[in-house]
Amino acid sequence: MMRPLLAVLRRDLRLARRRAGETLLGVLFFVLALSLFPFGVGPAPDILARIGGGVIWVLALLSVLLSLDRLWQSDFEDGSLEQLALAAVPLELVVLAKCAAHWLSGGLLLVLVAPLLAVLMAMPAEAMLVLPLTLLLGTPTLTLVGSIGAALLLGARRGGALVALLVLPLYIPVLIFGVSAAEGALMGLGGTAQLLILGAMLLVSAALAPFAAAAALRLALE
Amino acid sequence: MPSAEPALFAAQALACARGGRLVFEELSFALAPGEALLLRGPNGCGKSSLLRMLAGLLRPAGGRLLWEGEAVAADLPAHHVRLHYVGHGNAIATTLTAEENLAFSTELLGGTGEHLAAALAAFDLESLASSPGRFLSAGQRRRLALARLVAAPRKLWLLDEPGVGLDRASRARLEAAIGAHRAAGGICVLATHGDVAVPDPLVIDFHG
């Protein structure tokens, strides 16, 4: 049961490593876009620190959104998707393995660079811990929910822009609770409740998104 | 070739509609272990659609498929794991080597890797094992896609124009692989324009 799933995970991580340029594009976007903010809003530390949490979260969200097309597109084009559908394990589990590999080579990198970005935005020291924690809970949800949208629009022309339209409304709750968890903790109001909600959203999307994405993939194969 | 054995894989009155247009209807066949079904006909007549239908990727507009007398639609996942489908896409990642590609598809399809060397040998791919997919020619990619058939044994082979891009020697290797598969009691359904020879097949002729 596990062998085919580990094979998917290993293959996708290996592909991500060999296509490092493409893989790192998301992180690069994250860092570069954020470095524009001190120029745009001015270097006043109090303003940067005030908007830091929100800006970092929005950029992380956009970065995940940008990377969604590499989740299914190439497998769809070269015929691998049919093989995934005929795998020795249900397609739903294959979706989960693909999302895991996608997050490990995308969302996880965002979590890892987030502390540096918190410094860039002149945020307080605790932010270097709190912000990555919220991203750690939030970005896998973004990948899972995004996998549905990306699967639904397989084969559509200009799919990228449509995926954004389809998926962004579903990202809003994650964004709201992600930012308010970070800010709550930083202002000493406590962000535990928001963190728990983020965790709950992750669990729900991990349980439901594979079914929705697998159904969308089967439709794309028809 | 009429057979006394009971049908292992059968279709009853299959119909296919694509984009609101009826492609074919009332298509039936019954295949016993070791038999081959050849699909012939002009482009766009529904050969590929039929193969996708037999693979359980495309839902029939009518009729049904039976495996050992049981309806395939009742348990699609069980059907998926007993078949190989080689379509127009070769499912080869360009940045993985030939061997990595084959090892991945084998593990994905539930194979153990014990037939990996034999599969590479069966399609004369040993010398290309460490070449990345993007350096393989069209024929070599096709051979790599076909090597899956040998690497992960499954009962039912569904091959969509498997001979495209293959040279004469490679076609002979494919024919030998199909022969060995049938001798072991497997079933092979293939769409072809006559470039792959299969002895004693059942034939369905499509008319455009």
Side-chain angles (χ1 to χ4, degrees):
Chain A
M1 188 74 172
M2 282 312 284
R3 269 181 73 103
L5 294 179
L6 288 176
V8 172
L9 198 64
R10 260 205 316 275
R11 168 206 186 234
D12 276 23
L13 289 177
R14 192 177 271 164
L15 282 177
R17 215 169 48 235
R18 302 235 170 120
R19 298 172 186 164
E22 203 179 317
T23 308
L24 293 178
L25 215 58
V27 187
L28 209 61
F29 165 80
F30 190 43
V31 176
L32 284 179
L34 194 101
S35 65
L36 294 179
F37 275 83
F39 296 110
V41 300
D46 50 334
I47 297 178
L48 287 180
R50 173 66 196 84
I51 62 171
V55 167
I56 289 175
W57 251 96
V58 167
L59 291 178
L61 185 152
L62 291 177
S63 168
V64 172
L65 194 64
L66 282 176
S67 69
L68 283 177
D69 63 331
R70 77 180 159 92
L71 190 51
W72 306 117
Q73 195 60 37
S74 66
D75 283 342
F76 178 67
E77 280 164 8
D78 72 8
S80 299
L81 200 54
E82 277 119 353
Q83 301 304 316
L84 295 176
L86 302 178
V89 287
L91 187 55
E92 286 78 4
L93 293 178
V94 174
V95 169
L96 213 47
K98 292 272 303 178
C99 287
H102 188 268
W103 181 76
L104 287 173
S105 59
L108 182 59
L109 303 180
L110 301 183
V111 173
L112 294 178
V113 298
L116 296 175
L117 300 189
V119 173
L120 198 65
M121 293 300 276
M123 294 178 75
E126 312 95 86
M128 292 179 64
L129 201 70
V130 173
L131 209 55
L133 183 65
T134 59
L135 287 173
L136 187 67
L137 280 172
T139 46
T141 313
L142 300 181
T143 302
L144 284 160
V145 172
S147 76
I148 308 172
L152 273 173
L153 288 165
L154 267 183
R157 268 173 216 280
R158 303 255 173 272
L162 285 174
V163 170
L165 286 178
L166 196 67
V167 162
L168 275 180
L170 298 171
Y171 277 3
I172 291 174
V174 185
L175 177 67
I176 291 174
F177 285 103
V179 174
S180 72
E183 294 197 332
L186 292 178
M187 291 172 177
L189 305 171
T192 319
Q194 292 94 322
L195 279 179
L196 289 175
I197 291 175
L198 273 183
M201 289 197 281
L202 172 57
L203 290 176
V204 169
S205 58
L208 298 183
F211 289 96
L217 292 175
R218 290 199 183 97
L219 269 180
L221 283 174
E222 282 222 339
Chain B
M1 193 177 70
S3 169
E5 286 181 81
L8 180 59
F9 186 41
Q12 293 175 344
L14 280 186
C16 169
R18 298 297 273 163
R21 186 176 67 93
L22 199 62
V23 182
F24 57 77
E25 58 181 335
E26 292 298 314
L27 187 144
S28 302
F29 62 79
L31 295 167
E35 284 193 309
L37 174 64
L38 202 58
L39 312 175
R40 294 190 303 208
N43 298 138
C45 62
K47 301 192 295 290
S48 295
S49 297
L50 176 59
L51 280 169
R52 294 183 77 83
M53 211 175 263
L54 299 185
L57 296 171
L58 178 63
R59 222 182 313 242
R64 58 183 192 153
L65 288 167
L66 300 170
W67 184 269
E68 289 175 334
E70 307 273 337
V72 161
D75 192 355
L76 265 183
H79 186 59
H80 284 156
V81 299
R82 61 180 160 242
L83 68 89
H84 267 296
Y85 172 78
V86 179
H88 295 292
N90 289 324
I92 292 170
T94 49
T95 43
L96 297 185
T97 68
E99 192 171 18
E100 286 168 343
N101 268 304
L102 185 60
F104 164 67
S105 356
T106 308
E107 278 188 56
L108 179 70
L109 298 174
T112 52
E114 56 177 319
H115 302 292
L116 221 56
L120 286 172
F123 287 92
D124 193 22
L125 289 162
E126 294 116 317
S127 58
L128 299 169
S130 52
S131 312
R134 66 174 173 279
F135 293 142
L136 300 180
S137 75
Q140 287 166 339
R141 284 177 201 215
R142 198 64 181 159
R143 270 150 60 195
L144 184 54
L146 292 168
R148 282 203 302 268
L149 300 170
V150 179
R154 285 184 165 189
K155 273 272 185 206
L156 173 62
W157 289 8
L158 304 170
L159 314 179
D160 200 349
E161 301 190 18
V164 167
L166 295 186
D167 55 28
R168 188 189 301 245
S170 305
R171 282 203 297 271
R173 289 171 181 278
L174 169 60
E175 285 159 10
I178 294 176
H181 175 61
R182 292 174 66 189
I187 290 179
C188 181
V189 182
L190 66 163
T192 164
H193 291 293
D195 49 0
V196 179
V198 187
D200 310 318
L202 288 157
V203 177
I204 295 182
D205 272 309
F206 286 86
H207 306 287

